[in-house]
Amino acid sequence: MRTDTPWSTLPTREHLLAAAVGAPVLDVVIPVYNEEKDLETCVLRLHDHLARTFPYGFRITVADNASTDRTPQVAAELAALIPEVRSYRLEEKGRGRALRTVWSHSDSPVLAYMDVDLSTDLNALLPLVAPLISGHSDLAIGSRLARSSRVVRGSKREFISRAYNLILRSSLAAGFSDAQCGFKAIRREVAQRLLPMVEDTGWFFDTEMLVLAERAGLRIHEVPVDWVDDPESTVHIVRTATEDLKGVWRVGRALATGALPLDRLARPFGDDPRDRAVAGVPRGLAGQLVGFCVVGALSTLVYLALYSLFRLGVGPQLANGAALLVSAVANTAANRRLTFGVRGRRGAVRHQAQGLVVFAIGLALTSGSLAALGTASGSASHGTELAVLVAANLAATVLRFLLFRAWVFPDRRTDTQDAVEGSAHELRNAR
């Protein structure tokens, strides 16, 4: 078991102890722009709710986004009146910019934010941050689209919200249900690593943060919320939607090209139960089987299509060999990256050479099957040939997986880990 924690990984999640934190456990940020009318009511209501229901120390931070009305003065007056309230002034607009700035300078271990209109029922605040305090999750979001949520808003906003989240699911494979609900929380150590990777400073900030966190394997907790739309909201829907779509394209391109160092958000080895060895179960076997089956199914379809194409001009043996060779090269490359997680070009030629040996074994099985079919039936139909080849390929697939796992892509990490543990055991015995 590795005991060192590389600089690029996050610390292990632990339950926060209020007495050991020093600073308020929770810092709730309210980003505002020209909200002199509603700010005082919002802060007083939120402070009263936290004082009555929240069992830890808390802080409320008003983040002013370059307001031009009396919002800065109202925020300063509230900060002077209430010890748990502070104000922060930014000279540039942007909700994302405000959250990044305040969260980056906060000393609280749990950071949250909510909209000034308090559209979300405050009873969801403790369920939102509880998984972060306990160490169960890395981020938490309120969801207006969960089955048990109760939402009051117009059909136009409902359609836009659902359409946007559908776009995220289809284009960025997002698993969370509601990207834009203004009710979220994050652990500080996660924010310190994640926020520098988030480029957007406006409304797309939330979405980009969640997509990167999810792709890095961080745990996102969703809380169903009761939510009432603010009919006087100043959000420009068309402009916001346009900027969001631009953000989806930018993030999707960065993920596709591997431009984001998501490994910096990895948890230390052993923090995830999937990292722990289980007696009798090889490391990563289940995930590798799933990946191998998916790659194998696609490779089989490619192989059959190529065989049918080549069979139009050549005999069955030559068509089988050519189709199997092309699909085998693609299969080895896909399994190398997707099933066994091998990155970079190092060893790629050796892996392909070993894959060709495995291919030769598969060729012997399938060619032997065709030869046996020809001997038994003389002139078999094309459908019979395909059926025999599918059966032979199933047998070859099982053998291919075993050879890939044990010979072509062995788990070097496990071997190294066992060697280290063995050396440590010998050293203890020597003492």
Side-chain angles (χ1 to χ4, degrees):
M1 181 70 68
R2 279 173 49 188
T3 57
D4 62 311
T5 302
W7 72 271
S8 61
T9 61
L10 289 165
T12 302
R13 286 190 301 260
E14 295 180 350
H15 195 297
L16 299 174
L17 302 177
V21 171
V25 169
L26 175 65
D27 191 349
V28 183
V29 181
I30 305 175
V32 293
Y33 174 72
N34 289 348
E35 297 287 354
E36 62 179 3
K37 177 182 177 182
D38 299 324
L39 180 56
E40 181 176 358
T41 301
C42 165
V43 171
L44 293 178
R45 180 182 165 193
L46 175 59
H47 180 270
D48 176 69
H49 177 83
L50 288 171
R52 287 186 297 103
T53 65
F54 194 68
Y56 299 96
F58 66 88
R59 177 191 298 130
I60 301 172
T61 302
V62 180
D64 174 36
N65 289 243
S67 295
T68 58
D69 62 0
R70 292 191 64 257
T71 297
Q73 288 81 2
V74 174
E77 292 171 1
L78 290 169
L81 179 65
I82 306 173
E84 292 83 8
V85 176
R86 71 174 183 178
S87 62
Y88 202 105
R89 168 75 176 182
L90 291 92
E91 299 302 329
E92 295 180 271
K93 291 178 61 176
R95 182 179 69 174
R97 179 179 289 107
L99 293 176
R100 185 204 313 276
T101 302
V102 176
W103 281 354
S104 297
H105 291 86
S106 179
D107 56 356
S108 296
V110 176
L111 312 169
Y113 95 88
M114 63 181 61
D115 293 333
V116 68
D117 55 18
L118 296 185
S119 296
T120 304
D121 182 7
L122 291 178
N123 286 324
L125 182 55
L126 184 55
L128 181 79
V129 301
L132 308 187
I133 294 174
S134 69
H136 174 271
S137 301
D138 299 297
L139 298 91
I141 65 174
S143 176
R144 299 163 296 184
L145 302 180
R147 186 180 299 274
S148 57
S149 297
R150 294 185 295 179
V151 177
V152 179
R153 61 176 167 180
S155 57
K156 180 179 179 181
R157 285 183 176 270
E158 179 75 12
F159 172 79
I160 292 175
S161 179
R162 291 189 178 274
Y164 178 65
N165 283 281
L166 180 61
I167 291 173
L168 293 181
R169 288 178 178 272
S170 60
S171 61
L172 299 178
F176 45 87
S177 64
D178 191 351
Q180 291 287 31
C181 180
F183 196 69
K184 295 182 175 68
I186 185 172
R187 286 177 67 104
R188 184 181 62 184
E189 74 270 15
V190 177
Q192 289 173 342
R193 292 283 175 80
L194 181 57
L195 296 186
M197 301 183 193
V198 180
E199 293 185 17
D200 192 80
T201 58
W203 294 96
F204 187 69
F205 174 89
D206 303 52
T207 301
E208 186 171 356
M209 179 180 68
L210 291 174
V211 169
L212 299 186
E214 187 176 59
R215 286 299 185 95
L218 299 182
R219 181 174 292 161
I220 301 175
H221 178 73
E222 292 198 17
V223 177
V225 298
D226 298 339
W227 194 83
V228 179
D229 188 20
D230 179 11
E232 299 181 1
S233 175
T234 58
V235 178
H236 194 289
I237 296 178
V238 176
R239 183 170 61 242
T240 301
T242 301
E243 293 300 318
D244 285 345
L245 292 177
K246 291 180 181 178
V248 169
W249 168 257
R250 174 175 54 78
V251 172
R253 183 176 57 184
L255 291 173
T257 58
L260 297 169
L262 297 181
D263 57 322
R264 296 184 183 179
L265 301 176
R267 285 291 179 185
F269 185 82
D271 183 62
D272 193 319
R274 291 170 296 185
D275 293 334
R276 301 168 192 166
V278 180
V281 179
R283 185 186 307 280
L285 177 60
Q288 290 179 354
L289 278 173
V290 172
F292 185 81
C293 289
V294 172
V295 173
L298 294 176
S299 297
T300 300
L301 293 176
V302 171
Y303 162 76
L304 293 175
L306 290 173
Y307 176 81
S308 298
L309 179 63
F310 295 154
R311 191 66 176 83
L312 296 177
V314 298
Q317 292 290 1
L318 187 57
N320 174 62
L324 196 56
L325 176 60
V326 174
S327 60
V329 172
N331 180 278
T332 300
N335 276 306
R336 182 177 187 270
R337 179 175 178 84
L338 302 178
T339 303
F340 298 97
V342 180
R343 299 291 190 269
R345 298 181 179 179
R346 184 179 181 182
V349 175
R350 175 174 56 83
H351 293 153
Q352 282 293 349
Q354 292 173 309
L356 288 177
V357 174
V358 178
F359 149 75
I361 297 174
L363 178 62
L365 284 173
T366 54
S367 296
S369 300
L370 283 176
L373 177 64
T375 302
S377 60
S379 180
S381 66
H382 181 66
T384 303
E385 287 181 356
L386 289 179
V388 170
L389 287 173
V390 168
N393 266 292
L394 288 176
T397 297
V398 175
L399 182 59
R400 187 184 305 121
F401 177 76
L402 295 176
L403 289 173
F404 272 177
R405 181 177 175 84
W407 180 47
V408 183
F409 307 110
D411 191 348
R412 305 291 184 189
R413 180 182 60 183
T414 302
D415 297 339
T416 302
Q417 178 181 317
D418 292 341
V420 171
E421 291 178 349
S423 299
H425 181 70
E426 294 177 0
L427 181 60
R428 287 194 298 268
N429 290 338
R431 291 176 181 174

PDB file of all heavy atoms in Angstrom, residues 148-164:
ATOM      1  N   SER A 148     -38.130  14.480  -6.379  1.00  0.00           N
ATOM      2  CA  SER A 148     -38.862  14.943  -5.196  1.00  0.00           C
ATOM      3  C   SER A 148     -38.787  16.452  -4.983  1.00  0.00           C
ATOM      4  O   SER A 148     -39.282  16.956  -3.979  1.00  0.00           O
ATOM      5  CB  SER A 148     -38.331  14.224  -3.951  1.00  0.00           C
ATOM      6  OG  SER A 148     -36.942  14.437  -3.793  1.00  0.00           O
ATOM      7  N   SER A 149     -38.146  17.184  -5.906  1.00  0.00           N
ATOM      8  CA  SER A 149     -38.082  18.644  -5.778  1.00  0.00           C
ATOM      9  C   SER A 149     -39.455  19.256  -6.064  1.00  0.00           C
ATOM     10  O   SER A 149     -40.231  18.723  -6.860  1.00  0.00           O
ATOM     11  CB  SER A 149     -37.054  19.213  -6.750  1.00  0.00           C
ATOM     12  OG  SER A 149     -35.759  18.731  -6.451  1.00  0.00           O
ATOM     13  N   ARG A 150     -39.721  20.388  -5.429  1.00  0.00           N
ATOM     14  CA  ARG A 150     -40.962  21.136  -5.690  1.00  0.00           C
ATOM     15  C   ARG A 150     -40.568  22.518  -6.200  1.00  0.00           C
ATOM     16  O   ARG A 150     -39.947  23.296  -5.483  1.00  0.00           O
ATOM     17  CB  ARG A 150     -41.802  21.228  -4.419  1.00  0.00           C
ATOM     18  CG  ARG A 150     -42.331  19.872  -3.955  1.00  0.00           C
ATOM     19  CD  ARG A 150     -43.247  20.015  -2.761  1.00  0.00           C
ATOM     20  NE  ARG A 150     -42.529  20.520  -1.595  1.00  0.00           N
ATOM     21  CZ  ARG A 150     -43.103  20.759  -0.421  1.00  0.00           C
ATOM     22  NH1 ARG A 150     -44.404  20.546  -0.273  1.00  0.00           N
ATOM     23  NH2 ARG A 150     -42.393  21.214   0.589  1.00  0.00           N
ATOM     24  N   VAL A 151     -40.946  22.800  -7.425  1.00  0.00           N
ATOM     25  CA  VAL A 151     -40.485  24.009  -8.102  1.00  0.00           C
ATOM     26  C   VAL A 151     -41.668  24.797  -8.636  1.00  0.00           C
ATOM     27  O   VAL A 151     -42.590  24.233  -9.231  1.00  0.00           O
ATOM     28  CB  VAL A 151     -39.521  23.654  -9.261  1.00  0.00           C
ATOM     29  CG1 VAL A 151     -39.096  24.900 -10.010  1.00  0.00           C
ATOM     30  CG2 VAL A 151     -38.300  22.903  -8.726  1.00  0.00           C
ATOM     31  N   VAL A 152     -41.608  26.114  -8.428  1.00  0.00           N
ATOM     32  CA  VAL A 152     -42.615  27.016  -8.969  1.00  0.00           C
ATOM     33  C   VAL A 152     -41.911  28.011  -9.882  1.00  0.00           C
ATOM     34  O   VAL A 152     -41.164  28.873  -9.419  1.00  0.00           O
ATOM     35  CB  VAL A 152     -43.366  27.772  -7.855  1.00  0.00           C
ATOM     36  CG1 VAL A 152     -44.385  28.732  -8.463  1.00  0.00           C
ATOM     37  CG2 VAL A 152     -44.049  26.799  -6.904  1.00  0.00           C
ATOM     38  N   ARG A 153     -42.119  27.882 -11.194  1.00  0.00           N
ATOM     39  CA  ARG A 153     -41.541  28.814 -12.153  1.00  0.00           C
ATOM     40  C   ARG A 153     -42.274  28.685 -13.484  1.00  0.00           C
ATOM     41  O   ARG A 153     -42.980  27.708 -13.738  1.00  0.00           O
ATOM     42  CB  ARG A 153     -40.047  28.565 -12.353  1.00  0.00           C
ATOM     43  CG  ARG A 153     -39.668  27.201 -12.888  1.00  0.00           C
ATOM     44  CD  ARG A 153     -38.183  27.129 -13.127  1.00  0.00           C
ATOM     45  NE  ARG A 153     -37.714  25.769 -13.352  1.00  0.00           N
ATOM     46  CZ  ARG A 153     -36.453  25.445 -13.588  1.00  0.00           C
ATOM     47  NH1 ARG A 153     -35.537  26.393 -13.621  1.00  0.00           N
ATOM     48  NH2 ARG A 153     -36.094  24.193 -13.769  1.00  0.00           N
ATOM     49  N   GLY A 154     -42.049  29.678 -14.337  1.00  0.00           N
ATOM     50  CA  GLY A 154     -42.731  29.716 -15.620  1.00  0.00           C
ATOM     51  C   GLY A 154     -42.259  28.624 -16.565  1.00  0.00           C
ATOM     52  O   GLY A 154     -41.178  28.067 -16.422  1.00  0.00           O
ATOM     53  N   SER A 155     -43.106  28.341 -17.559  1.00  0.00           N
ATOM     54  CA  SER A 155     -42.798  27.281 -18.520  1.00  0.00           C
ATOM     55  C   SER A 155     -41.557  27.612 -19.347  1.00  0.00           C
ATOM     56  O   SER A 155     -40.801  26.717 -19.737  1.00  0.00           O
ATOM     57  CB  SER A 155     -43.997  27.059 -19.453  1.00  0.00           C
ATOM     58  OG  SER A 155     -44.341  28.275 -20.114  1.00  0.00           O
ATOM     59  N   LYS A 156     -41.313  28.907 -19.618  1.00  0.00           N
ATOM     60  CA  LYS A 156     -40.157  29.306 -20.411  1.00  0.00           C
ATOM     61  C   LYS A 156     -38.859  28.937 -19.702  1.00  0.00           C
ATOM     62  O   LYS A 156     -37.963  28.313 -20.290  1.00  0.00           O
ATOM     63  CB  LYS A 156     -40.199  30.804 -20.686  1.00  0.00           C
ATOM     64  CG  LYS A 156     -39.026  31.320 -21.521  1.00  0.00           C
ATOM     65  CD  LYS A 156     -39.153  32.823 -21.760  1.00  0.00           C
ATOM     66  CE  LYS A 156     -37.966  33.344 -22.569  1.00  0.00           C
ATOM     67  NZ  LYS A 156     -38.075  34.811 -22.794  1.00  0.00           N
ATOM     68  N   ARG A 157     -38.737  29.294 -18.439  1.00  0.00           N
ATOM     69  CA  ARG A 157     -37.527  28.977 -17.686  1.00  0.00           C
ATOM     70  C   ARG A 157     -37.402  27.469 -17.458  1.00  0.00           C
ATOM     71  O   ARG A 157     -36.302  26.926 -17.453  1.00  0.00           O
ATOM     72  CB  ARG A 157     -37.528  29.708 -16.338  1.00  0.00           C
ATOM     73  CG  ARG A 157     -37.221  31.192 -16.473  1.00  0.00           C
ATOM     74  CD  ARG A 157     -37.158  31.843 -15.103  1.00  0.00           C
ATOM     75  NE  ARG A 157     -36.763  33.239 -15.209  1.00  0.00           N
ATOM     76  CZ  ARG A 157     -35.513  33.667 -15.167  1.00  0.00           C
ATOM     77  NH1 ARG A 157     -34.534  32.788 -15.033  1.00  0.00           N
ATOM     78  NH2 ARG A 157     -35.222  34.946 -15.262  1.00  0.00           N
ATOM     79  N   GLU A 158     -38.516  26.799 -17.272  1.00  0.00           N
ATOM     80  CA  GLU A 158     -38.485  25.353 -17.092  1.00  0.00           C
ATOM     81  C   GLU A 158     -37.932  24.670 -18.337  1.00  0.00           C
ATOM     82  O   GLU A 158     -37.082  23.768 -18.259  1.00  0.00           O
ATOM     83  CB  GLU A 158     -39.897  24.835 -16.798  1.00  0.00           C
ATOM     84  CG  GLU A 158     -39.994  23.331 -16.609  1.00  0.00           C
ATOM     85  CD  GLU A 158     -39.458  22.855 -15.273  1.00  0.00           C
ATOM     86  OE1 GLU A 158     -39.206  23.709 -14.392  1.00  0.00           O
ATOM     87  OE2 GLU A 158     -39.290  21.635 -15.115  1.00  0.00           O
ATOM     88  N   PHE A 159     -38.391  25.096 -19.505  1.00  0.00           N
ATOM     89  CA  PHE A 159     -37.934  24.512 -20.764  1.00  0.00           C
ATOM     90  C   PHE A 159     -36.442  24.774 -20.977  1.00  0.00           C
ATOM     91  O   PHE A 159     -35.686  23.877 -21.345  1.00  0.00           O
ATOM     92  CB  PHE A 159     -38.737  25.080 -21.929  1.00  0.00           C
ATOM     93  CG  PHE A 159     -38.201  24.675 -23.280  1.00  0.00           C
ATOM     94  CD1 PHE A 159     -38.467  23.414 -23.799  1.00  0.00           C
ATOM     95  CD2 PHE A 159     -37.425  25.559 -24.028  1.00  0.00           C
ATOM     96  CE1 PHE A 159     -37.961  23.031 -25.019  1.00  0.00           C
ATOM     97  CE2 PHE A 159     -36.918  25.184 -25.259  1.00  0.00           C
ATOM     98  CZ  PHE A 159     -37.188  23.917 -25.758  1.00  0.00           C
ATOM     99  N   ILE A 160     -36.013  26.022 -20.720  1.00  0.00           N
ATOM    100  CA  ILE A 160     -34.604  26.375 -20.919  1.00  0.00           C
ATOM    101  C   ILE A 160     -33.708  25.569 -19.990  1.00  0.00           C
ATOM    102  O   ILE A 160     -32.658  25.056 -20.398  1.00  0.00           O
ATOM    103  CB  ILE A 160     -34.399  27.887 -20.704  1.00  0.00           C
ATOM    104  CG1 ILE A 160     -35.103  28.677 -21.817  1.00  0.00           C
ATOM    105  CG2 ILE A 160     -32.919  28.230 -20.649  1.00  0.00           C
ATOM    106  CD1 ILE A 160     -35.061  30.161 -21.617  1.00  0.00           C
ATOM    107  N   SER A 161     -34.114  25.423 -18.737  1.00  0.00           N
ATOM    108  CA  SER A 161     -33.309  24.686 -17.765  1.00  0.00           C
ATOM    109  C   SER A 161     -33.163  23.224 -18.158  1.00  0.00           C
ATOM    110  O   SER A 161     -32.057  22.664 -18.147  1.00  0.00           O
ATOM    111  CB  SER A 161     -33.939  24.790 -16.376  1.00  0.00           C
ATOM    112  OG  SER A 161     -33.193  24.063 -15.423  1.00  0.00           O
ATOM    113  N   ARG A 162     -34.261  22.597 -18.532  1.00  0.00           N
ATOM    114  CA  ARG A 162     -34.208  21.182 -18.897  1.00  0.00           C
ATOM    115  C   ARG A 162     -33.455  20.975 -20.212  1.00  0.00           C
ATOM    116  O   ARG A 162     -32.720  19.994 -20.369  1.00  0.00           O
ATOM    117  CB  ARG A 162     -35.617  20.604 -18.979  1.00  0.00           C
ATOM    118  CG  ARG A 162     -36.299  20.509 -17.622  1.00  0.00           C
ATOM    119  CD  ARG A 162     -37.598  19.752 -17.674  1.00  0.00           C
ATOM    120  NE  ARG A 162     -38.190  19.640 -16.351  1.00  0.00           N
ATOM    121  CZ  ARG A 162     -37.898  18.690 -15.461  1.00  0.00           C
ATOM    122  NH1 ARG A 162     -36.993  17.770 -15.780  1.00  0.00           N
ATOM    123  NH2 ARG A 162     -38.474  18.657 -14.274  1.00  0.00           N
ATOM    124  N   ALA A 163     -33.622  21.894 -21.157  1.00  0.00           N
ATOM    125  CA  ALA A 163     -32.914  21.782 -22.426  1.00  0.00           C
ATOM    126  C   ALA A 163     -31.406  21.923 -22.214  1.00  0.00           C
ATOM    127  O   ALA A 163     -30.605  21.191 -22.813  1.00  0.00           O
ATOM    128  CB  ALA A 163     -33.407  22.839 -23.402  1.00  0.00           C
ATOM    129  N   TYR A 164     -31.032  22.854 -21.348  1.00  0.00           N
ATOM    130  CA  TYR A 164     -29.603  23.070 -21.082  1.00  0.00           C
ATOM    131  C   TYR A 164     -28.975  21.839 -20.444  1.00  0.00           C
ATOM    132  O   TYR A 164     -27.885  21.401 -20.841  1.00  0.00           O
ATOM    133  CB  TYR A 164     -29.433  24.286 -20.171  1.00  0.00           C
ATOM    134  CG  TYR A 164     -27.997  24.571 -19.801  1.00  0.00           C
ATOM    135  CD1 TYR A 164     -27.063  24.937 -20.763  1.00  0.00           C
ATOM    136  CD2 TYR A 164     -27.567  24.468 -18.486  1.00  0.00           C
ATOM    137  CE1 TYR A 164     -25.746  25.202 -20.428  1.00  0.00           C
ATOM    138  CE2 TYR A 164     -26.256  24.730 -18.134  1.00  0.00           C
ATOM    139  CZ  TYR A 164     -25.347  25.095 -19.110  1.00  0.00           C
ATOM    140  OH  TYR A 164     -24.039  25.343 -18.771  1.00  0.00           O
TER     141      TYR A 164
END
